[in-house]
Amino acid sequence: MTAEFAVALPAIALVLAACLAAVLVVAQQVRLQDAAADAARALGRGESEGVAATIADRVAGGARLSSWQEDPFVCVALSADGAGLLAAIELRAESCAVAGGL
Protein backbone atom coordinates (compact mmCIF):
# COMPACT_ATOMS: atom_id res chain seq x y z
CA MET A 1 0.00 0.00 0.00
CA THR A 2 1.39 3.38 -0.97
CA ALA A 3 1.38 6.47 1.21
CA GLU A 4 -0.90 8.29 -1.26
CA PHE A 5 -3.48 5.53 -1.00
CA ALA A 6 -3.30 5.58 2.79
CA VAL A 7 -3.94 9.33 2.77
CA ALA A 8 -6.78 9.10 0.23
CA LEU A 9 -8.60 6.20 1.91
CA PRO A 10 -10.20 8.26 4.74
CA ALA A 11 -11.37 10.87 2.22
CA ILE A 12 -12.92 8.16 0.06
CA ALA A 13 -14.65 6.66 3.11
CA LEU A 14 -16.00 10.09 4.07
CA VAL A 15 -17.38 10.71 0.57
CA LEU A 16 -19.05 7.29 0.54
CA ALA A 17 -20.58 7.90 3.99
CA ALA A 18 -21.91 11.29 2.84
CA CYS A 19 -23.42 9.73 -0.28
CA LEU A 20 -25.11 7.01 1.76
CA ALA A 21 -26.47 9.59 4.20
CA ALA A 22 -27.82 11.65 1.30
CA VAL A 23 -29.60 8.61 -0.16
CA LEU A 24 -31.15 7.86 3.25
CA VAL A 25 -32.40 11.44 3.61
CA VAL A 26 -33.92 11.43 0.12
CA ALA A 27 -35.68 8.13 0.84
CA GLN A 28 -37.01 9.56 4.10
CA GLN A 29 -38.28 12.67 2.27
CA VAL A 30 -40.16 10.49 -0.21
CA ARG A 31 -41.75 8.51 2.65
CA LEU A 32 -42.66 11.79 4.35
CA GLN A 33 -44.35 13.11 1.20
CA ASP A 34 -46.31 9.87 0.77
CA ALA A 35 -47.37 9.98 4.42
CA ALA A 36 -48.54 13.60 4.08
CA ALA A 37 -50.65 12.68 1.06
CA ASP A 38 -52.16 9.68 2.86
CA ALA A 39 -52.93 11.74 5.98
CA ALA A 40 -54.51 14.55 3.92
CA ARG A 41 -56.73 12.08 2.09
CA ALA A 42 -57.80 10.55 5.42
CA LEU A 43 -58.72 13.97 6.81
CA GLY A 44 -60.51 14.77 3.56
CA ARG A 45 -62.65 11.64 4.03
CA GLY A 46 -63.65 12.90 7.47
CA GLU A 47 -61.33 10.81 9.64
CA SER A 48 -60.06 12.31 12.90
CA GLU A 49 -56.63 13.90 13.22
CA GLY A 50 -55.61 10.98 15.45
CA VAL A 51 -56.35 8.50 12.67
CA ALA A 52 -54.43 10.68 10.19
CA ALA A 53 -51.47 10.84 12.61
CA THR A 54 -51.53 7.04 12.94
CA ILE A 55 -51.50 6.66 9.16
CA ALA A 56 -48.62 9.13 8.85
CA ASP A 57 -46.70 7.38 11.62
CA ARG A 58 -47.17 4.01 9.92
CA VAL A 59 -45.80 5.33 6.63
CA ALA A 60 -43.12 7.81 7.78
CA GLY A 61 -42.43 6.78 11.37
CA GLY A 62 -42.07 9.51 13.97
CA ALA A 63 -43.18 12.51 11.92
CA ARG A 64 -44.87 15.51 13.55
CA LEU A 65 -48.26 16.32 12.02
CA SER A 66 -50.11 19.60 11.75
CA SER A 67 -53.26 20.24 9.75
CA TRP A 68 -55.35 23.21 8.65
CA GLN A 69 -58.37 24.05 6.49
CA GLU A 70 -58.19 26.05 3.26
CA ASP A 71 -61.71 25.74 1.89
CA PRO A 72 -62.48 23.48 0.11
CA PHE A 73 -59.24 21.70 1.00
CA VAL A 74 -57.82 20.16 4.15
CA CYS A 75 -54.02 20.35 4.30
CA VAL A 76 -51.40 18.46 6.26
CA ALA A 77 -47.77 19.27 7.00
CA LEU A 78 -45.39 16.63 8.32
CA SER A 79 -41.93 17.33 9.66
CA ALA A 80 -39.18 15.01 10.82
CA ASP A 81 -35.47 15.10 11.47
CA GLY A 82 -33.05 13.66 8.95
CA ALA A 83 -31.30 10.36 9.47
CA GLY A 84 -27.72 9.31 10.04
CA LEU A 85 -24.99 11.87 9.43
CA LEU A 86 -27.57 14.40 8.26
CA ALA A 87 -29.77 14.24 11.37
CA ALA A 88 -29.52 18.03 11.81
CA ILE A 89 -31.58 18.57 8.65
CA GLU A 90 -35.32 19.05 9.19
CA LEU A 91 -37.44 17.50 6.49
CA ARG A 92 -40.93 18.85 5.72
CA ALA A 93 -43.71 17.71 3.40
CA GLU A 94 -47.14 19.23 2.73
CA SER A 95 -50.17 17.86 0.95
CA CYS A 96 -53.81 18.89 0.53
CA ALA A 97 -56.96 16.96 -0.31
CA VAL A 98 -60.53 17.98 -1.03
CA ALA A 99 -62.60 17.97 2.15
CA GLY A 100 -65.62 15.68 2.00
CA GLY A 101 -64.06 13.58 -0.74
CA LEU A 102 -64.38 9.84 -1.06
Side-chain angles (χ1 to χ4, degrees), residues 20-54:
L20 179 61
V23 168
L24 289 174
V25 167
V26 168
Q28 186 178 7
Q29 178 66 36
V30 169
R31 283 192 308 270
L32 203 63
Q33 188 63 48
D34 286 343
D38 292 345
R41 283 193 298 270
L43 288 175
R45 287 191 307 264
E47 301 287 345
S48 69
E49 191 166 325
V51 171
T54 302

Short mmCIF file of all heavy atoms in Angstrom, two decimals, residues 20-54:
data_model
loop_
_atom_site.label_atom_id
_atom_site.label_comp_id
_atom_site.label_asym_id
_atom_site.label_seq_id
_atom_site.Cartn_x
_atom_site.Cartn_y
_atom_site.Cartn_z
N LEU A 20 -24.13 7.90 1.14
CA LEU A 20 -25.11 7.01 1.76
C LEU A 20 -26.09 7.79 2.62
O LEU A 20 -27.30 7.55 2.58
CB LEU A 20 -24.41 5.94 2.59
CG LEU A 20 -25.32 4.95 3.31
CD1 LEU A 20 -26.14 4.17 2.31
CD2 LEU A 20 -24.50 4.02 4.17
N ALA A 21 -25.60 8.76 3.37
CA ALA A 21 -26.47 9.59 4.20
C ALA A 21 -27.44 10.39 3.33
O ALA A 21 -28.61 10.54 3.68
CB ALA A 21 -25.65 10.52 5.08
N ALA A 22 -26.96 10.90 2.20
CA ALA A 22 -27.82 11.65 1.30
C ALA A 22 -28.93 10.77 0.73
O ALA A 22 -30.09 11.19 0.63
CB ALA A 22 -27.00 12.28 0.18
N VAL A 23 -28.60 9.54 0.37
CA VAL A 23 -29.60 8.61 -0.16
C VAL A 23 -30.64 8.30 0.92
O VAL A 23 -31.85 8.26 0.64
CB VAL A 23 -28.93 7.32 -0.67
CG1 VAL A 23 -29.94 6.23 -0.95
CG2 VAL A 23 -28.13 7.62 -1.93
N LEU A 24 -30.22 8.12 2.16
CA LEU A 24 -31.15 7.86 3.25
C LEU A 24 -32.10 9.04 3.49
O LEU A 24 -33.29 8.86 3.73
CB LEU A 24 -30.39 7.53 4.54
CG LEU A 24 -29.68 6.19 4.57
CD1 LEU A 24 -28.86 6.07 5.85
CD2 LEU A 24 -30.66 5.05 4.45
N VAL A 25 -31.57 10.26 3.41
CA VAL A 25 -32.40 11.44 3.61
C VAL A 25 -33.41 11.60 2.47
O VAL A 25 -34.57 11.94 2.70
CB VAL A 25 -31.52 12.71 3.77
CG1 VAL A 25 -32.34 13.97 3.66
CG2 VAL A 25 -30.81 12.66 5.11
N VAL A 26 -32.99 11.33 1.25
CA VAL A 26 -33.92 11.43 0.12
C VAL A 26 -35.02 10.38 0.25
O VAL A 26 -36.20 10.68 0.01
CB VAL A 26 -33.16 11.29 -1.22
CG1 VAL A 26 -34.11 11.09 -2.38
CG2 VAL A 26 -32.29 12.51 -1.46
N ALA A 27 -34.67 9.17 0.64
CA ALA A 27 -35.68 8.13 0.84
C ALA A 27 -36.65 8.52 1.95
O ALA A 27 -37.87 8.29 1.84
CB ALA A 27 -35.00 6.80 1.17
N GLN A 28 -36.14 9.12 3.01
CA GLN A 28 -37.01 9.56 4.10
C GLN A 28 -37.93 10.69 3.64
O GLN A 28 -39.09 10.75 4.02
CB GLN A 28 -36.18 10.01 5.29
CG GLN A 28 -37.00 10.34 6.50
CD GLN A 28 -36.15 10.72 7.70
OE1 GLN A 28 -34.95 10.87 7.59
NE2 GLN A 28 -36.78 10.90 8.83
N GLN A 29 -37.44 11.59 2.79
CA GLN A 29 -38.28 12.67 2.27
C GLN A 29 -39.41 12.12 1.41
O GLN A 29 -40.54 12.60 1.48
CB GLN A 29 -37.42 13.66 1.46
CG GLN A 29 -38.22 14.80 0.85
CD GLN A 29 -38.82 15.73 1.88
OE1 GLN A 29 -38.23 16.00 2.91
NE2 GLN A 29 -40.01 16.23 1.60
N VAL A 30 -39.12 11.11 0.61
CA VAL A 30 -40.16 10.49 -0.21
C VAL A 30 -41.22 9.84 0.67
O VAL A 30 -42.43 9.99 0.42
CB VAL A 30 -39.54 9.48 -1.20
CG1 VAL A 30 -40.60 8.63 -1.88
CG2 VAL A 30 -38.70 10.20 -2.23
N ARG A 31 -40.79 9.11 1.72
CA ARG A 31 -41.75 8.51 2.65
C ARG A 31 -42.59 9.59 3.34
O ARG A 31 -43.79 9.41 3.55
CB ARG A 31 -41.02 7.66 3.69
CG ARG A 31 -40.56 6.32 3.17
CD ARG A 31 -40.12 5.40 4.29
NE ARG A 31 -39.15 6.01 5.18
CZ ARG A 31 -37.83 5.96 5.03
NH1 ARG A 31 -37.32 5.34 3.99
NH2 ARG A 31 -37.03 6.54 5.90
N LEU A 32 -41.96 10.70 3.68
CA LEU A 32 -42.66 11.79 4.35
C LEU A 32 -43.71 12.39 3.42
O LEU A 32 -44.83 12.69 3.85
CB LEU A 32 -41.65 12.85 4.79
CG LEU A 32 -42.03 13.78 5.91
CD1 LEU A 32 -42.25 12.99 7.20
CD2 LEU A 32 -40.95 14.81 6.13
N GLN A 33 -43.39 12.56 2.16
CA GLN A 33 -44.35 13.11 1.20
C GLN A 33 -45.52 12.15 1.00
O GLN A 33 -46.67 12.58 0.93
CB GLN A 33 -43.66 13.41 -0.13
CG GLN A 33 -44.54 14.15 -1.11
CD GLN A 33 -44.94 15.52 -0.61
OE1 GLN A 33 -44.11 16.29 -0.16
NE2 GLN A 33 -46.22 15.83 -0.69
N ASP A 34 -45.23 10.85 0.90
CA ASP A 34 -46.31 9.87 0.77
C ASP A 34 -47.20 9.87 2.00
O ASP A 34 -48.43 9.77 1.89
CB ASP A 34 -45.72 8.47 0.56
CG ASP A 34 -45.15 8.27 -0.82
OD1 ASP A 34 -45.47 9.08 -1.73
OD2 ASP A 34 -44.37 7.31 -1.01
N ALA A 35 -46.59 9.97 3.18
CA ALA A 35 -47.37 9.98 4.42
C ALA A 35 -48.24 11.22 4.51
O ALA A 35 -49.39 11.15 4.97
CB ALA A 35 -46.43 9.92 5.63
N ALA A 36 -47.74 12.37 4.06
CA ALA A 36 -48.54 13.60 4.08
C ALA A 36 -49.74 13.47 3.15
O ALA A 36 -50.85 13.88 3.50
CB ALA A 36 -47.67 14.79 3.67
N ALA A 37 -49.54 12.87 1.98
CA ALA A 37 -50.65 12.68 1.06
C ALA A 37 -51.69 11.72 1.64
O ALA A 37 -52.90 11.97 1.56
CB ALA A 37 -50.14 12.14 -0.28
N ASP A 38 -51.24 10.64 2.25
CA ASP A 38 -52.16 9.68 2.86
C ASP A 38 -52.94 10.32 4.01
O ASP A 38 -54.16 10.12 4.14
CB ASP A 38 -51.41 8.46 3.38
CG ASP A 38 -50.82 7.61 2.26
OD1 ASP A 38 -51.24 7.79 1.10
OD2 ASP A 38 -49.95 6.77 2.55
N ALA A 39 -52.26 11.09 4.85
CA ALA A 39 -52.93 11.74 5.98
C ALA A 39 -53.93 12.79 5.49
O ALA A 39 -55.03 12.92 6.05
CB ALA A 39 -51.90 12.37 6.91
N ALA A 40 -53.59 13.54 4.46
CA ALA A 40 -54.51 14.55 3.92
C ALA A 40 -55.75 13.89 3.35
O ALA A 40 -56.87 14.38 3.56
CB ALA A 40 -53.80 15.39 2.86
N ARG A 41 -55.57 12.78 2.63
CA ARG A 41 -56.73 12.08 2.09
C ARG A 41 -57.62 11.55 3.22
O ARG A 41 -58.85 11.58 3.12
CB ARG A 41 -56.29 10.95 1.16
CG ARG A 41 -55.84 11.45 -0.19
CD ARG A 41 -55.71 10.32 -1.20
NE ARG A 41 -54.71 9.34 -0.80
CZ ARG A 41 -53.43 9.39 -1.13
NH1 ARG A 41 -52.99 10.41 -1.85
NH2 ARG A 41 -52.60 8.45 -0.76
N ALA A 42 -57.01 11.04 4.29
CA ALA A 42 -57.80 10.55 5.42
C ALA A 42 -58.60 11.68 6.06
O ALA A 42 -59.79 11.51 6.37
CB ALA A 42 -56.88 9.90 6.46
N LEU A 43 -57.98 12.83 6.26
CA LEU A 43 -58.72 13.97 6.81
C LEU A 43 -59.80 14.45 5.85
O LEU A 43 -60.87 14.88 6.27
CB LEU A 43 -57.76 15.11 7.15
CG LEU A 43 -56.86 14.88 8.36
CD1 LEU A 43 -55.87 16.02 8.51
CD2 LEU A 43 -57.68 14.73 9.63
N GLY A 44 -59.51 14.39 4.56
CA GLY A 44 -60.51 14.77 3.56
C GLY A 44 -61.73 13.86 3.58
O GLY A 44 -62.84 14.29 3.28
N ARG A 45 -61.53 12.59 3.93
CA ARG A 45 -62.65 11.64 4.03
C ARG A 45 -63.44 11.82 5.32
O ARG A 45 -64.46 11.19 5.51
CB ARG A 45 -62.12 10.20 3.98
CG ARG A 45 -61.65 9.74 2.65
CD ARG A 45 -61.40 8.24 2.67
NE ARG A 45 -60.52 7.82 3.74
CZ ARG A 45 -59.21 7.62 3.61
NH1 ARG A 45 -58.63 7.84 2.46
NH2 ARG A 45 -58.49 7.21 4.64
N GLY A 46 -62.93 12.66 6.23
CA GLY A 46 -63.65 12.90 7.47
C GLY A 46 -63.09 12.15 8.67
O GLY A 46 -63.71 12.14 9.73
N GLU A 47 -61.95 11.50 8.51
CA GLU A 47 -61.33 10.81 9.64
C GLU A 47 -60.81 11.84 10.64
O GLU A 47 -60.60 13.01 10.31
CB GLU A 47 -60.16 9.93 9.16
CG GLU A 47 -60.54 8.88 8.15
CD GLU A 47 -61.32 7.73 8.74
OE1 GLU A 47 -61.34 7.58 9.97
OE2 GLU A 47 -61.92 6.98 7.96
N SER A 48 -60.57 11.40 11.87
CA SER A 48 -60.06 12.31 12.90
C SER A 48 -58.57 12.56 12.68
O SER A 48 -57.89 11.82 11.94
CB SER A 48 -60.27 11.71 14.29
OG SER A 48 -59.44 10.57 14.46
N GLU A 49 -58.06 13.60 13.34
CA GLU A 49 -56.63 13.90 13.22
C GLU A 49 -55.78 12.79 13.85
O GLU A 49 -54.67 12.54 13.40
CB GLU A 49 -56.31 15.25 13.87
CG GLU A 49 -54.92 15.72 13.55
CD GLU A 49 -54.67 17.17 13.88
OE1 GLU A 49 -55.61 17.98 13.74
OE2 GLU A 49 -53.55 17.47 14.27
N GLY A 50 -56.32 12.11 14.85
CA GLY A 50 -55.61 10.98 15.45
C GLY A 50 -55.43 9.84 14.47
O GLY A 50 -54.36 9.21 14.42
N VAL A 51 -56.45 9.55 13.69
CA VAL A 51 -56.35 8.50 12.67
C VAL A 51 -55.33 8.92 11.61
O VAL A 51 -54.51 8.11 11.17
CB VAL A 51 -57.73 8.21 12.04
CG1 VAL A 51 -57.61 7.30 10.84
CG2 VAL A 51 -58.66 7.63 13.07
N ALA A 52 -55.38 10.18 11.19
CA ALA A 52 -54.43 10.68 10.19
C ALA A 52 -52.99 10.60 10.73
O ALA A 52 -52.07 10.24 9.99
CB ALA A 52 -54.77 12.11 9.80
N ALA A 53 -52.81 10.92 12.01
CA ALA A 53 -51.47 10.84 12.61
C ALA A 53 -50.99 9.39 12.66
O ALA A 53 -49.80 9.11 12.45
CB ALA A 53 -51.48 11.45 14.00
N THR A 54 -51.89 8.45 12.93
CA THR A 54 -51.53 7.04 12.94
C THR A 54 -51.11 6.58 11.56
O THR A 54 -50.13 5.84 11.41
CB THR A 54 -52.72 6.19 13.45
OG1 THR A 54 -53.08 6.64 14.75
CG2 THR A 54 -52.38 4.72 13.47
#
